Amino acid sequence: MQRCQEEYKKEQGEKGEQEERGESHYVFQKEKFFDGIRTQHGYVRVLPNFSELSRLLSGISIYRLAVLNLNPQAFFQPHHLDADLVLYIAQGKGTFGIVNSETRHSHDVRQGDILRIRSGSIYYLANKDNNEKLTIVQLAVPTSRPGQFREFLAVGKNSYLSQFSKDVQEAAFNLRPEEVQKLFEPQQQQQQQGAIIKASEQQIRSIGGSSSHHGGESQRPFNLLKKRPTESNRHGKLIRADGNDFQPLRDLDLAVSVVNITQRSMFGPRYSTQSYEIAVVTQGDGTVEIICPHLASQKRESEQEQGREGEQEEGEQQQYERVRSRVTEGTAIVFPPGHPAVEIASSDKNLQVVRFEIRAEGNQQVFLAGPNSPWRRMEDGAKELAFGMKAREVDQRLDRQKETAFVPGPEERERERPLYSVLNFFDF
Amino acid sequence: MQRCQEEYKKEQGEKGEQEERGESHYVFQKEKFFDGIRTQHGYVRVLPNFSELSRLLSGISIYRLAVLNLNPQAFFQPHHLDADLVLYIAQGKGTFGIVNSETRHSHDVRQGDILRIRSGSIYYLANKDNNEKLTIVQLAVPTSRPGQFREFLAVGKNSYLSQFSKDVQEAAFNLRPEEVQKLFEPQQQQQQQGAIIKASEQQIRSIGGSSSHHGGESQRPFNLLKKRPTESNRHGKLIRADGNDFQPLRDLDLAVSVVNITQRSMFGPRYSTQSYEIAVVTQGDGTVEIICPHLASQKRESEQEQGREGEQEEGEQQQYERVRSRVTEGTAIVFPPGHPAVEIASSDKNLQVVRFEIRAEGNQQVFLAGPNSPWRRMEDGAKELAFGMKAREVDQRLDRQKETAFVPGPEERERERPLYSVLNFFDF
Amino acid sequence: MQRCQEEYKKEQGEKGEQEERGESHYVFQKEKFFDGIRTQHGYVRVLPNFSELSRLLSGISIYRLAVLNLNPQAFFQPHHLDADLVLYIAQGKGTFGIVNSETRHSHDVRQGDILRIRSGSIYYLANKDNNEKLTIVQLAVPTSRPGQFREFLAVGKNSYLSQFSKDVQEAAFNLRPEEVQKLFEPQQQQQQQGAIIKASEQQIRSIGGSSSHHGGESQRPFNLLKKRPTESNRHGKLIRADGNDFQPLRDLDLAVSVVNITQRSMFGPRYSTQSYEIAVVTQGDGTVEIICPHLASQKRESEQEQGREGEQEEGEQQQYERVRSRVTEGTAIVFPPGHPAVEIASSDKNLQVVRFEIRAEGNQQVFLAGPNSPWRRMEDGAKELAFGMKAREVDQRLDRQKETAFVPGPEERERERPLYSVLNFFDF
């Protein structure tokens, strides 16, 4: 595992150099994540606070993104967070146990499931499969410090309970100190491994067995992949769940969506009207472009500070900056609201992106090309004023794109160039 | 236009010097606004972020204030913002077009109309009148960066679409690159003028013609001036619309109000219980006074830092600071909640102020003088304790002001001095 | 009073030195409060803004904590705040007068009452008792500046009305300037004393007499002590009121609770799942321990900055920091969500703590020991994995604590040591 990671990093480093320009604000390669927890049986990788990553991202500084990975038959020890958590099962199967004073909720989860763990809920997690890894993408909404959260591990060498004074521990459990320690800081080899350990066949089987669902505090997971896609054609597919599908998403004003882009196809150009999308590539690789006016003005300002103000004439100022970056499995991408963007799948793999939409209620996708592009709805006079040509000519050009949302990407067009050229020749 | 502006500035500068003391925190003269957009056909002037203007205003740092001005027959190109927008039509008439993938909403607006444009909505705007300017006061609630927003212009020399890589543009619209450029970056003289252009008679007439209102996403404007005033007498008038009148105001927890003060009359002293009021003078000129304890303590602190602590005795510390400033058309004024204030119209013009109330639900105006002043409601014992005289004597004095909200201002009293003196003579 | 305070401080200073370690983040001794108002008849002591106290507390920086104390027969002059206020009557009896343009609400309050004063409401307050002090714990939610608020005093030597220009005052009240001054800045000895003055027998009796409750804007107080305790045994008692009991608490998403711990008993270990608890000791003294992972990582970071990184091996890093502190009447304690904590009453006094819970809706207390501890709900396999021993053995140990929430504290155990030893001897 560790070795794979390192090889991966090396490879990324090489790619990275070609692509770095401007990407650092909205695209964060896998290496930007740090180890929250890591044992030989799994890990939690956490992206730094967004406002530390870029001052353009202060609008989402209260959120955190993390990826959890459990090896087959691994067990994540009981713990709680000072954060609300929305989880998306990106790969594999698992079983959650959530316990409180009265009841236990057990949830079997599989790819596509969305689950919420409330701040302060004590939970544990097992990958019961013998072969497949369990990968979970997590959005955290911290409750104690804005944009900062921690694991509170109840047992093991770093049990929080063992941090109370000895006499307090003794009084709390009505046990002799050595008994408390034996209970919460067990010396067995397994527990010494840390927060993620290996379970025996028998132990792992017992987990989730006798589930109890009275109390109803923890809601069963919702499977996103069962929903009908919002957009779908042979170039790709968009599926989205919001508060209407799953109550916890309403409580947190979030939506979760998956975008699946066929190889050599493109999603967009498009933007979200009001939501930030905090995204992670879960399969494949490709390229993203995001157009940003804030970056451009930031650049202008810093140039002015450095006295290079005179180099550009007023009228020729760049109003927008293009962020272009390669993305690959594990890359995080942030799409700010209103910012036009495209995602393009590579030549040999579909590109799959999981997205948490922030402030989701009322949010809409605007697709800037294709038969439903907003330009088509303008009055003739407005079309003429905007595009400086007859409305009929505008329509003729806009009509050329027949697909919505997902279209053949640049590379696909390249392959089919002769065909497109002929079409162009006939049309104009 | 430009010349008028400059002359105006000069004039203001002269006035300004007499009044500058302390005003910089809550009163912002027209010149504080910067050009967001400016062509020879119109402009958008934007007030800097409030927390940049004063650290006392960090409570409203997520809001932005702007004023839009379109010349007769000018057209504001289609664009969207990464901000929610509430607009108040201060002068003139116009037509909005708001387009999305399925529908177009057209709205004819006139003085007094309140309209909301959602973040990410693509809209354009025409002043169809041949003579009158169109002036709109706008409150923006940015969605991507707190207190920062940008225009995303779809067409013209600064089209965001032209910032995508050439092959992406090509794939998006299924057009040859030169065709995409011709469409979104037209070379005609009109479009080269920028975001606000001049329309022909015929073009302007076609806009708003074939409006379609199915879908219901964009709500028709609400005309504030049709409402019955909340307060009204011969000295002035206050009209207010909130979420009960216009649903979008509820969504954003805002209210919009207009205060019209007769020449030489005064509004107040009064304060809003919980709302910031972000205001713009839309007609006339006058004077405002705002009483602020935060400014006073800030001053004390900075004096202490400079070691001038000893100059004042403990008991003689100034608890409040008075902000006094001339205001004129285009001046922005911020009234913080709980801060007592008066607005006084000049000797020759009525003073009209448009106000956005922030956190409006449950907000109330408290008028500190007049027959309904809160002091009148106190028990006799409380009156005696507070005012140090018999309750009857307190009432006698409070009774002297017969008007509520709007009263004769200092200058009006000056003119009628002989009369007041006689009255005073008889009363006491 | 003043003298008592000073003696108290001195005493505290001595105690303080032994306990300072780490406490500065979550425990704030009485001396940390500063004088908001102080006369010989009472005072308001205010805790500095939380984010000034510790950068760990930026999550509650919009709230402020204050304690108000009125001597017998003292009267707090009419004023308003630019803050919403939730008050808990910790000791004594009092009468509030809240006035607006149409009505007066009078509220007699006594120990246990919760009351809300809205931002901008003009109110005054009398301690009508001849002997007992009136002590009120207040949580303020400022409306003009985040985490900053001020008193606006209408009368007396620091009346805000007297800060308006003379001609404005004259116009406002239709009075000659000297009459305005006589009214709002009375020269009588009483008013010169400041915001809190002494009332005569007769004056004080008249307050609250002719109460009027039409209008319904101000809600009657809710008495917390009438509620059935959430948790109760011979070691202590927890009573809690939230939005279901008292509508204003729902509006502000707060709860108010009182914890009463019998001498030598202990509350916890426990945590709140999602709420910050901002607490004040109102009776007795004792000790608190709070376990914090954020403090520990902060410490690590600052050590790294000082180049002491190499001193500890990776695996041996301290994950949690224990905050331990003596607390006494007037000490403020902040319990962050998810952070395990205990409170222990001293050997000779019950410990009473009043707590404001922030973001209260859906918040739960998790008790980490006793018959309802969450560990008891885990499946056998999970128990074995977590604790590294047979599930039966885990249960046996967890079963030793028979009490929930409130248990005998360390000192109590010490006194009964022989008994516990015998029990332990028989059990294992």
Side-chain angles (χ1 to χ4, degrees), chain C residues 41-89:
Chain C
H41 306 292
Y43 59 81
V44 180
R45 298 270 292 167
V46 185
L47 191 65
N49 184 289
F50 289 109
S51 60
E52 282 173 34
L53 291 171
S54 161
R55 65 178 174 122
L56 292 183
L57 296 181
S58 61
I60 50 171
S61 65
I62 66 163
Y63 299 93
R64 292 297 289 274
L65 185 67
V67 176
L68 163 68
N69 206 305
L70 286 196
N71 288 356
Q73 298 204 301
F75 177 76
F76 193 166
Q77 294 279 18
H79 65 286
H80 71 272
L81 306 176
D82 50 353
D84 272 298
L85 214 53
V86 174
L87 307 96
Y88 177 81
I89 314 304

Side-chain angles (χ1 to χ4, degrees), chain A residues 245-282:
Chain A
D245 301 302
F246 189 49
Q247 177 64 38
L249 294 180
R250 181 184 309 279
D251 297 345
L252 297 165
D253 201 4
L254 296 175
V256 181
S257 50
V258 169
V259 176
N260 225 309
I261 308 166
T262 309
Q263 54 188 32
R264 292 185 304 280
S265 294
M266 182 167 95
F267 179 55
R270 56 97 213 171
Y271 61 82
S272 265
T273 54
Q274 65 178 47
S275 288
Y276 262 98
E277 296 159 10
I278 301 175
V280 177
V281 177
T282 48

Side-chain angles (χ1 to χ4, degrees), chain B residues 101-328:
Chain B
S101 62
E102 275 143 40
T103 172
R104 175 180 71 249
H105 294 86
S106 295
H107 300 298
D108 289 325
V109 295
R110 66 181 198 284
Q111 197 181 0
D113 272 341
I114 304 167
L115 184 67
R116 178 201 186 169
I117 308 276
R118 286 179 168 276
S119 172
S121 281
I122 295 173
Y123 70 103
Y124 44 92
L125 171 58
N127 179 356
K128 293 164 82 171
D129 200 89
N130 288 327
N131 304 300
E132 202 181 9
K133 287 190 179 185
L134 170 62
T135 304
I136 301 179
V137 184
Q138 306 181 341
L139 188 78
V141 193
T143 52
S144 76
R145 295 174 68 193
Q148 303 286 349
F149 70 101
R150 292 289 183 281
E151 292 92 9
F152 290 76
L153 277 155
V155 294
K157 65 180 171 184
N158 274 314
S159 161
Y160 59 78
L161 282 166
S162 63
Q163 299 306 309
F164 281 113
S165 301
K166 289 297 169 205
D167 58 351
V168 167
Q169 293 181 43
E170 205 180 327
F173 291 94
N174 192 17
L175 285 174
R176 279 168 299 163
E178 58 275 22
E179 291 291 339
V180 179
Q181 200 192 327
K182 205 167 151 188
L183 193 59
F184 290 100
E185 292 190 280
Q187 293 302 310
Q188 299 204 4
Q189 198 243 320
Q190 235 177 6
Q191 282 68 29
Q192 285 301 307
Q193 295 164 356
I196 301 173
I197 62 175
K198 179 120 173 66
S200 75
E201 193 80 31
Q202 197 194 337
Q203 287 165 332
I204 206 102
R205 231 182 306 126
S206 94
I207 290 168
S210 56
S211 170
S212 67
H213 272 286
H214 34 89
E217 266 174 60
S218 169
Q219 212 169 336
R220 287 165 191 277
F222 174 84
N223 195 279
L224 178 63
L225 303 180
K226 288 186 308 191
K227 272 203 76 173
R228 223 165 61 93
T230 311
E231 303 287 342
S232 176
N233 62 24
R234 68 195 169 93
H235 302 291
K237 196 163 67 174
L238 163 64
I239 317 182
R240 180 178 186 269
D242 61 17
N244 294 318
D245 301 302
F246 189 49
Q247 177 64 38
L249 294 179
R250 182 185 307 280
D251 297 345
L252 297 164
D253 201 4
L254 297 174
V256 180
S257 50
V258 169
V259 176
N260 224 310
I261 307 165
T262 309
Q263 54 188 37
R264 292 185 305 277
S265 293
M266 181 168 95
F267 179 56
R270 55 97 212 170
Y271 61 83
S272 266
T273 54
Q274 64 180 47
S275 288
Y276 262 98
E277 296 160 10
I278 300 176
V280 177
V281 176
T282 49
Q283 272 176 39
D285 40 48
T287 304
V288 301
E289 292 196 357
I290 302 172
I291 306 303
C292 177
H294 296 272
L295 257 174
S297 42
Q298 211 173 38
K299 212 176 178 181
R300 275 201 305 279
E301 280 163 30
S302 83
E303 280 172 4
Q304 280 167 18
E305 280 166 23
Q306 293 164 37
R308 283 190 285 138
E309 174 168 31
E311 286 178 28
Q312 280 187 320
E313 278 179 46
E314 267 295 305
E316 301 199 4
Q317 279 181 352
Q318 193 67 32
Q319 293 297 314
Y320 304 94
E321 178 97 5
R322 174 175 68 233
V323 173
R324 182 184 166 92
S325 179
R326 286 283 299 166
V327 299
T328 180

Side-chain angles (χ1 to χ4, degrees), chain A residues 235-396:
Chain A
H235 302 291
K237 197 164 66 174
L238 165 63
I239 317 181
R240 180 178 186 270
D242 62 18
N244 294 319
D245 301 302
F246 189 49
Q247 177 64 38
L249 294 180
R250 181 184 309 279
D251 297 345
L252 297 165
D253 201 4
L254 296 175
V256 181
S257 50
V258 169
V259 176
N260 225 309
I261 308 166
T262 309
Q263 54 188 32
R264 292 185 304 280
S265 294
M266 182 167 95
F267 179 55
R270 56 97 213 171
Y271 61 82
S272 265
T273 54
Q274 65 178 47
S275 288
Y276 262 98
E277 296 159 10
I278 301 175
V280 177
V281 177
T282 48
Q283 272 176 41
D285 40 50
T287 304
V288 301
E289 291 195 358
I290 301 172
I291 307 302
C292 178
H294 296 273
L295 256 175
S297 44
Q298 211 173 39
K299 214 177 178 182
R300 276 202 305 281
E301 281 164 29
S302 84
E303 278 171 7
Q304 281 166 18
E305 281 167 22
Q306 293 165 37
R308 283 188 285 137
E309 178 167 25
E311 286 178 29
Q312 281 187 320
E313 281 180 43
E314 267 294 305
E316 301 197 4
Q317 279 182 354
Q318 194 65 34
Q319 293 296 313
Y320 304 94
E321 177 99 4
R322 176 175 67 234
V323 173
R324 182 185 165 91
S325 180
R326 286 280 302 163
V327 299
T328 182
E329 207 181 305
T331 303
I333 317 167
V334 175
F335 298 97
H339 286 52
V342 295
E343 292 150 81
I344 306 164
S346 70
S347 57
D348 53 350
K349 286 187 206 153
N350 289 3
L351 178 64
Q352 185 178 283
V353 178
V354 171
R355 315 182 306 177
F356 298 98
E357 295 174 29
I358 307 298
R359 256 176 296 137
E361 203 194 324
N363 186 46
Q364 300 201 336
Q365 293 281 317
V366 175
F367 295 105
L368 296 163
N372 294 325
S373 76
W375 329 116
R376 295 300 312 271
R377 309 292 157 230
M378 293 166 66
E379 303 93 330
D380 284 356
K383 270 185 200 147
E384 283 177 31
L385 277 162
F387 295 101
M389 59 175 87
K390 294 260 169 268
R392 196 182 44 81
E393 291 179 80
V394 175
D395 288 347
Q396 218 172 32

